[in-house]
Amino acid sequence: MHVLIVEDDDAMASALSAAVASAGHTHTRVSRGEDALLAHREHQVVLLDLGLPDLDGLDVLRKLRQVTNIPILILTARDDERSVVLGLRSGADDYLVKPVKLVELLARIEAVTRRTNRGGQEAPHAIVLGELEVDLDRRLAAVGQRKLALTATEFDLLSLLVRNAGSVVTREQILDALWGDAFVTHSRSLDVHLTGLRSKLQLPGFIINVRGVGYRVEQP
């Protein structure tokens, strides 16, 4: 995994670089948002600080989401609920508040690695449910002729639900599959991603909330 570290604080960048390297990943560090927009193509995951000297990190996130679906993890000192929700709704796959536990950070990166590798091991196939077609190999989804601009996490959530169409997928199963930990990860992240996915699908009643348990998609 080649990790892009977007961090202007030298001490924090050094700690992140050492942690990433200790797990066997390669990395590149940039300190400006503009540099991140130029360097993202050569990387598989982005660690993004929001307090950058040239651009606000959320603006960098939105611009990246216009051109790429690679996983983006926000690392920031902003811990208010509005910032968390705004970051996730803008396309971040996870949101970690500084000072971040490096062990937890590595676990999140490993979860991304497992999802990426797992997708490459399966034979090309697609799932069709009514108007919805999900190409699991190419990581594309469409409703009729309308292609869906999904983030990496939104696509992983959709593919997990459609692979289990007709059955309930618990919140714990979703958190474990997408973030690698069913009990530590804040469920608020899931709620924001689910809202975004429903909005992009525009299929009322397709994702059913099973109160107190999880979610189910209906087979037509």
Side-chain angles (χ1 to χ4, degrees), residues 73-145:
L73 289 77
I74 289 177
L75 281 78
T76 181
R78 302 180 194 176
D79 60 353
D80 59 287
E81 184 171 355
R82 180 179 180 277
S83 293
V84 175
V85 172
L86 188 58
L88 292 170
R89 284 182 173 170
S90 297
D93 295 283
D94 212 340
Y95 193 108
L96 300 174
V97 177
K98 298 177 182 177
V100 60
K101 295 179 180 179
L102 296 181
V103 172
E104 180 181 358
L105 172 62
L106 292 176
R108 302 293 178 88
I109 294 176
E110 291 301 324
V112 171
T113 305
R114 289 198 302 271
R115 298 206 307 269
T116 303
N117 289 342
R118 190 163 55 235
Q121 293 168 356
E122 296 183 355
H125 63 288
I127 296 175
V128 178
L129 295 174
E131 296 181 83
L132 175 67
E133 180 174 357
V134 182
D135 188 325
L136 300 174
D137 180 64
R138 298 169 60 203
R139 295 181 64 84
L140 299 173
V143 176
Q145 298 298 314

Side-chain angles (χ1 to χ4, degrees), residues 166-198:
S167 301
V168 176
V169 182
T170 68
R171 290 180 68 89
E172 290 77 14
Q173 288 173 326
I174 295 172
L175 292 172
D176 184 68
L178 269 61
W179 286 284
D181 196 318
F183 304 102
V184 174
T185 301
H186 295 295
S187 60
R188 180 169 54 186
S189 298
L190 172 57
D191 296 331
V192 174
H193 288 302
L194 186 64
T195 298
L197 176 59
R198 281 173 162 156

Side-chain angles (χ1 to χ4, degrees), residues 127 129 132 134 136 150 153-175 177-178 190 193-195 197-198 201 206-210 213-219:
I127 296 175
L129 295 174
L132 175 67
V134 182
L136 300 174
L150 303 180
T153 297
E154 287 170 349
F155 183 88
D156 288 336
L157 175 57
L158 176 62
S159 63
L160 178 62
L161 292 173
V162 298
R163 287 199 307 269
N164 295 277
S167 301
V168 176
V169 182
T170 68
R171 290 180 68 89
E172 290 77 14
Q173 288 173 326
I174 295 172
L175 292 172
L178 269 61
L190 172 57
H193 288 302
L194 186 64
T195 298
L197 176 59
R198 281 173 162 156
L201 285 171
F206 179 69
I207 300 177
I208 298 172
N209 183 8
V210 181
V213 182
Y215 305 93
R216 181 183 75 247
V217 300
E218 291 290 359
Q219 297 194 51

